[in-house]
Amino acid sequence: MPAPSRRPQPVRHVLALCLLAGALAVPCGPAAAQETRAEEFEQKQEARAAEVAAYYPSGAERVISSIEDFALGVAPIGFYPWFGNIYPTGWLAFGAGYRNVYADTGSVNIVGGWSLKNFKMAEATLAAPELARGTVKLQAHAKWVDAPSVPFYGLSSESSPDDKAFYFYREASVGGRADIEPVEWFSLGAHVDYLDYTNDSTDKDDSVERLFAPAGAPALLVDPAYVRTGVSAAIDWREPPGYSGSGGLYRAEFTNYAQRNDGPYSFRQFEAEVVQLIPILRANWVIALRGMVTTTDTDAGDEVPYFLMPSLGGSRNLRGYSSFRYRDRHRIIWSAEYRWTPARFLDMAIFYDAGKVTSRRSDLDFDGLKSSYGIGMRFLSQQGTALRIELARSKESNLRLIWTAGAAF
Amino acid sequence: MRTPRSVVFAGSLTALALAAPAFAPAPRAAAPKFYSDDPVWREVDTQDASGVEPREMNLLFENLENLFATPGDKVRGVRAQNINTVDEVPDSSWFTNRAGHRRLTVEEVVRGANTGDGPAPGQWTVVSAKSDGVTPGFTVRDTKGDIWFIKFDPPGWRGMATGSEVLVTKIFWALGYHVPENHVSHLRRENLVIDDKASIRPPGARQRRLTEDDIEALLRRADKDEDGSYRVVASKALPGKPLGGFHFHNVRSDDPNDFIRHEHRRELRGYRAFAAWTQHVDAKATNTLDTLVTEDGHAFVRHHLIDFGSTLGSSATNPREPFEGAEHVVEPIEAGKNIISFGFRIAPWRTVPLYRSREIGRIWASHEDWDPDEWKSRTPNSAHLRARHDDLFWAASKMRVFDDAMIKAIVETAEWHDPRSREAITRFLIERRDIILRKYLVEANPVHAPALAADGTLTFENLAVASGVAKAPEGYRIQWHRFDNAAQSATPIAETTVGDTRAAAPEGLPSGAGQYVLAQISAVGGPNEAWAEPAHAYFRREASGWKLVGFERQPEGEGASPLVIRRPPIRR
């Protein structure tokens, strides 16, 4: 019995043709060796099998993976880079932190930073494990802030920018707070801290004591220490919570500063804020309104230190003015924003802020308000406003650039 | 009896000598256009894939890549590359032909991928939990030892995510995709026990042992019925070893059987029409899953679509946002225009009437101005972006199988209590289906199922007309050719024009076994200019008569086979 042929006859014909065709320079591709579609398919898979390689993420994917938690706002574990703001007027700061977890839901977080204007900060936070199904949060913290040069323009809304002086500010605090959120839209908070302030000269010509007397700057170069206690309540039904197109926030907070060292600087502060968001046409436009009042109160003969008084100016109120531009015992702020949404994670806003500071509570009215206006762009994340870039204008500033994280209100 | 080698060689030489003049002037294909086994209806993964390793996809990277880069083949207009010679998708590890290929009963579609009634009753043992991601969920082992993924509705939205997921899974099963077995089920807290090895990694924490408190915390993020139970979707673990998802572009680098770029797979391109139909805006790689399956000792990768909880009116954790389906989450050019418009450039979706309900979420209440071409997933999908008219026609030809009664029956599987919910979703699916059919069955030459009888009578169907979405054209033009399979060249025989979908072949049709005929069929006076572009139907003469071996609805484009038309010599 003859041995079976190793190849089917037609293949031999093809091979013979290929040989001759090659001599005649006629192209004859490898596919000519196939008889069926199944064979062609198999041959392509064989060729593919010779190329297989284990999946390895690209460089870009590896980079994204390494910063994903950070980008998505997930709390890190271990060492992490940090950047942000240490204290108003300190500019952008960089640093590093270390965070770890204990007892499943508790965490410890230590972070330190240094700003472009030589402001320094160190902070440690110990968050207790969740209590009562996460509706109760307890936290202990300690913080140290060193701000070598903070501006002061004098008290009242009539202070002049020409009177700009600087002071050294340092704050060391240790304390704790408890927050209760029985329901998603309602929260209560209480806190107690020991605070030790240092208020000193900058040793420069524009140092605060060279331009202001104690009468115009209560507690000038005084270092008060306080036990600060406070309670707060808030109804927040803004939707979605991170950055909101509808709903409102109604918040009140009372804080008592009881001086622990010698001096007449004990005081109380009350602050109330109302934010209302009015969506129009499925939040194509949102009219955002805010009113906020802050008042302080003292016993007879006591005063509020100038560096702890309510202030106006900065990135969150009266944005056309620099931080701490106006200070006094009482403050009122009105803000209105016309917001529109060019893209899912981008909001634009035209804003108008008005406000004033006064020495008497009875002067908190609509007369003599300082105002500013501008336009802003906000890049949003699921957690809120990741980056806010705004240009603001006021009588004192042609154009002020604001570059910060977090919503104005 | 064996043929002597010398005779074979001599025969080959003779053949070459005879064929030589034909080689010289005309371009010659390297392989014949049709093989003896065409059309192939099943593609087998021939290579051993046991070495394929699991991989994790990075959702953020995937989103950024699709939003800001354009991954995949840069050449546009490429014809789908995994279709058989009759323009259809063969069965494979990606797809199983069901709708439009064989008769599907309503009962069969309602059953879908399900092989049972869901998790066995009794205690479910939690083997892991998911606290990050979009929705909370558990992986449980039932009393039979089967593994199930358990997902919930968000608080206050009973039935929204679970009902949408089960319903849409049925649709995608019927369309031919590999999908998991999903059931609406119910669990009670007391029926959950924690496996000794169960673990969890909450956001911002380390992987650790799962505790009762974790279970409680996860359940607080779920909708709870008045009787204390939870309505859930139970998704049975797919057979095989999970390998992670597949991208909608390029190939899986470690899969030896995966040689066709995913963006050129028709079932992934046509998926665009199905996603638009079901508002499946999360049609992304992380909602797919490859598994390593071993059958008859052969290991291969099977490709699945999973996670349909963000479909219809559900966004899984919230009702659907009105923009979804109308915009990608980031569109830089549009955003630029919107910035300078100060909000007065109002997107159409802002004014579309919506139907809202706690049970189904939020859907468009009217489709008067809805255009499936305008539909967009949350992030661009590489395969969707490359869909051609023939790909979308293919998709529409599947969708036409879903008649109103079938859709109504499928909607029932969501187990929504409120009849208004069922009616709203049924109407939604019917309206979108009709619009898609009116568009995609008409925008390509709708000739379908051509057949050439032994007596030379050509019959075919006009799928657009048969589906009631277009009026019949004035007639059809048929250009008849002899087709040389080896040279891939055609020689005209005659041209006939008929008023119906039936035509007699002209004189001179080849009749020898193994000979080929090409009929180029186009419509005269059709409602769309695409109808005038001929579809190519190839027939091979076999002992039993003419067999359809090739069909090209849209033959042009990159990747299409070249066809040389040889004009007969002019007689003087």
Side-chain angles (χ1 to χ4, degrees), chain A residues 9 13, chain B residues 2-14:
Chain A
Q9 291 295 340
H13 284 278
Chain B
R2 286 181 67 192
T3 310
R5 283 171 186 262
S6 57
V7 175
V8 172
F9 191 61
S12 300
L13 274 177
T14 311

Side-chain angles (χ1 to χ4, degrees), chain B residues 503-526:
Chain B
E507 297 283 324
L509 213 60
S511 56
Q515 291 193 297
Y516 290 80
V517 164
L518 163 63
Q520 293 178 318
I521 310 168
S522 54
V524 180

Side-chain angles (χ1 to χ4, degrees), chain A residues 164-215:
Chain A
K164 186 177 185 181
F166 291 90
Y167 61 93
F168 175 92
Y169 172 89
R170 181 181 291 154
E171 168 194 330
S173 66
V174 59
R177 67 172 297 127
D179 290 286
I180 304 169
E181 285 184 27
V183 287
E184 206 170 292
W185 49 270
F186 179 62
S187 63
L188 293 168
H191 61 89
V192 58
D193 301 279
Y194 180 81
L195 296 133
D196 187 8
Y197 291 107
T198 303
N199 166 230
D200 210 343
S201 163
T202 63
D203 296 331
K204 292 181 182 171
D205 289 345
D206 54 4
S207 186
V208 64
E209 78 281 6
R210 301 188 185 200
L211 291 170
F212 294 95

Side-chain angles (χ1 to χ4, degrees), chain B residues 54-114:
Chain B
R55 69 180 185 196
E56 271 193 36
M57 277 194 173
N58 184 286
L59 176 61
L60 181 61
F61 175 76
E62 184 203 344
N63 286 343
L64 292 174
E65 183 182 34
N66 285 308
L67 283 166
F68 298 108
T70 45
D73 194 346
K74 301 299 174 208
V75 180
R76 296 303 171 108
V78 175
R79 190 166 184 247
Q81 292 177 358
N82 69 315
I83 49 179
N84 64 15
T85 53
V86 291
D87 220 39
E88 292 288 341
V89 177
D91 291 350
S92 69
S93 55
W94 292 82
F95 190 79
T96 300
N97 278 285
R98 297 187 184 103
H101 187 71
R102 63 180 174 84
R103 188 175 170 274
L104 281 177
T105 64
V106 169
E107 294 73 26
E108 202 178 355
V109 174
V110 165
R111 188 168 62 249
N114 295 358

Side-chain angles (χ1 to χ4, degrees), chain A residues 20 37 45 48 99 282 338, chain B residues 13 38 46 204 258 342 352:
Chain A
L20 285 169
R37 190 68 61 189
Q45 289 182 333
R48 177 79 183 86
R99 180 182 175 276
R282 291 177 194 155
Y338 162 84
Chain B
L13 274 177
D38 281 327
T46 59
D258 190 14
F342 289 85
V352 168

Side-chain angles (χ1 to χ4, degrees), chain A residues 13 20 34 36-38 41 45 48 52-53 65 68 75 77 99 104 133 282-285 338 340 342 344, chain B residues 13 16 33 35 37-38 46 58 204-206 208 220 252-253 256 258 323 329 338 342-343 349-350 352:
Chain A
H13 284 278
L20 285 169
Q34 297 139 13
T36 64
R37 190 68 61 189
F41 197 76
Q45 289 182 333
R48 177 79 183 86
V52 292
S65 296
E68 182 176 22
I77 291 183
R99 180 182 175 276
D104 292 351
R133 299 181 166 188
R282 291 177 194 155
N284 186 62
W285 302 284
Y338 162 84
W340 71 101
R344 299 316 308 164
Chain B
L13 274 177
L16 182 62
K33 188 173 180 71
Y35 289 111
D37 56 344
D38 281 327
T46 59
N58 184 286
R206 293 186 192 285
R208 57 174 171 74
R220 281 198 297 278
R252 187 175 176 123
S253 64
D258 190 14
F323 86 91
V329 289
N338 292 337
F342 289 85
W349 58 265
R350 300 251 186 208
V352 168

Side-chain angles (χ1 to χ4, degrees), chain B residues 36-50:
Chain B
S36 57
D37 56 344
D38 281 327
V40 167
W41 282 99
R42 171 147 193 83
E43 283 180 354
V44 179
D45 287 344
T46 59
Q47 305 300 303
D48 175 28
S50 57

Side-chain angles (χ1 to χ4, degrees), chain B residues 405-541:
Chain B
M406 184 177 281
I407 288 174
K408 203 172 173 185
I410 293 171
V411 171
E412 293 291 327
T413 65
E415 298 185 25
W416 287 318
H417 289 323
D418 188 345
R420 289 171 300 181
S421 302
R422 301 195 295 271
E423 189 187 320
I425 291 291
T426 302
R427 189 173 59 246
F428 176 93
L429 288 170
I430 288 173
E431 285 180 6
R432 286 204 171 192
R433 176 206 60 193
D434 290 347
I435 292 169
I436 288 171
L437 297 191
R438 280 201 295 274
K439 190 164 190 72
Y440 294 146
L441 288 182
V442 174
E443 287 190 341
N445 186 328
V447 165
H448 180 67
L452 187 58
D455 67 355
T457 304
L458 175 72
T459 57
F460 56 90
E461 203 179 348
N462 182 320
L463 212 58
V465 175
S467 303
V469 296
K471 287 183 179 174
E474 292 166 16
Y476 297 93
R477 178 182 299 120
I478 299 137
Q479 297 162 287
W480 298 87
H481 304 79
R482 281 191 197 86
F483 181 69
D484 182 335
N485 185 40
Q488 298 196 27
S489 65
T491 307
I493 300 171
E495 182 175 310
T496 57
T497 302
V498 292
D500 199 359
T501 56
R502 186 180 185 88
E507 297 283 324
L509 213 60
S511 56
Q515 291 193 297
Y516 290 80
V517 164
L518 163 63
Q520 293 178 318
I521 310 168
S522 54
V524 180
N528 191 295
E529 59 187 23
W531 291 30
E533 295 297 322
H536 295 186
Y538 296 88
F539 300 94
R540 180 170 59 216
R541 187 75 191 191

